[in-house]
Amino acid sequence: MNSIKIEAMEDTPRIVFDPENDIFEVSGRSLPEDAALFYEPIIDWLRNYAKNPNKITEMHIKLNYFNTASSKLLLDMLLILEEMVEDGKECIIKWYHDEEDEDMAEAGEEYAELVDVPFSLLTY
Amino acid sequence: MEKKLMNEIFHDYVFDFYRKMQINQIHLIYEGEVTHQITKAFTALTEDNMAKESEPNNLQMKVFHIIVESLQNISKHAQNIEGLDDTKGIGTFLIAKSTTDYFIIAGNLVHNEDIRSMVELIDTINILDKDGLKRLHKEQMKLGKISERGGAGLGFIDIARKSGKALGYEFKPITHNVSFFILTTQIPRNNNE
């Protein structure tokens, strides 16, 4: 399966989904002008991947900022992982936040409540 | 003669504007189209200023967040108003700082028919406490969809959660079907919650 690699920009995160090397990572900040436009191909890719995923999918999220439109699309992404778990696949979400960043820690906790996927909150 | 008079008017205006900015501790004021470039420029500028003033990181993030949401509110929701020149995405934006708070103020034109639902939403938000806002946010995350305008319906909720204060708002009537909506967010500089 193809991989996705998008370098971080001023207003969009770095995204690497590389099943061959077991890398699934979203990092940086996300406040694109049109969040749906940015995330649509990524969500499509993930949907496609979910049909025949790796044995374990470990999603690393290291965002330091996202706007509300991005937060909704991020949830849509994580809900695909939830569907994978329902289908008996193994997934884990690792949410990284700055030790001092309470808002990002809280955001992680809230995603953990919203999606039924093993979730760990980690600091960097 | 006429030219001299015009110059005087402009000079008085600029000087008066400068003094009012100083008195009210206004750091930035903008009127015009809120593009993505403008959002990026204002956030970068504010980030630099706050870093120079050694504001705590979490305050910097809160202010950054509220600036982005307030500006994206304008760019997504300021509508074209029939009978007026192009007003889509046009708004007024202001950042002020006192010894105790930051103030982010955003204004744009709205149709009067939209006022009721906006008032209902903001009033609902304003009576909720921290946990209530958290629940409302969760509900909207679950049920909400990205709208045609590209919003998630989370902006006001999120601004209120980040600021920890009630949202200030006012609708100033302009014509029988158009008003100017003003949203004021207060962000305490010393938040020891």
Side-chain angles (χ1 to χ4, degrees), chain A residues 11 29 65 67-68 72 110, chain B residues 36 69 72 141 144 161:
Chain A
D11 53 3
R29 56 159 73 163
Y65 173 78
N67 64 355
T68 53
K72 176 67 187 155
E110 286 171 15
Chain B
H36 195 51
E69 292 300 326
Q72 291 187 337
M141 277 285 264
R161 290 188 75 193

Side-chain angles (χ1 to χ4, degrees), chain A residues 10-11 29 31-33 36 64-69 71-73 75 100 103 106 110-111 113-114, chain B residues 36 40 47 57 61-62 64-65 68-69 72 134 137-138 141-142 144 146 150 152 154 158 161-162:
Chain A
E10 217 180 336
D11 53 3
R29 56 159 73 163
L31 55 142
E33 187 170 24
N64 53 41
Y65 173 78
F66 49 84
N67 64 355
T68 53
S71 73
K72 176 67 187 155
L73 291 149
L75 177 65
E100 287 174 16
D103 287 342
E106 200 180 0
E110 286 171 15
Y111 278 109
E113 287 172 22
L114 283 165
Chain B
H36 195 51
K40 284 198 281 190
E47 267 185 316
N57 272 337
M61 287 315 287
K62 278 184 206 303
F64 181 95
H65 195 95
V68 171
E69 292 300 326
Q72 291 187 337
K134 188 182 165 140
H137 181 262
K138 199 172 165 180
M141 277 285 264
K142 271 198 241 173
I146 296 288
L154 292 161
D158 217 55
R161 290 188 75 193
K162 288 283 191 301

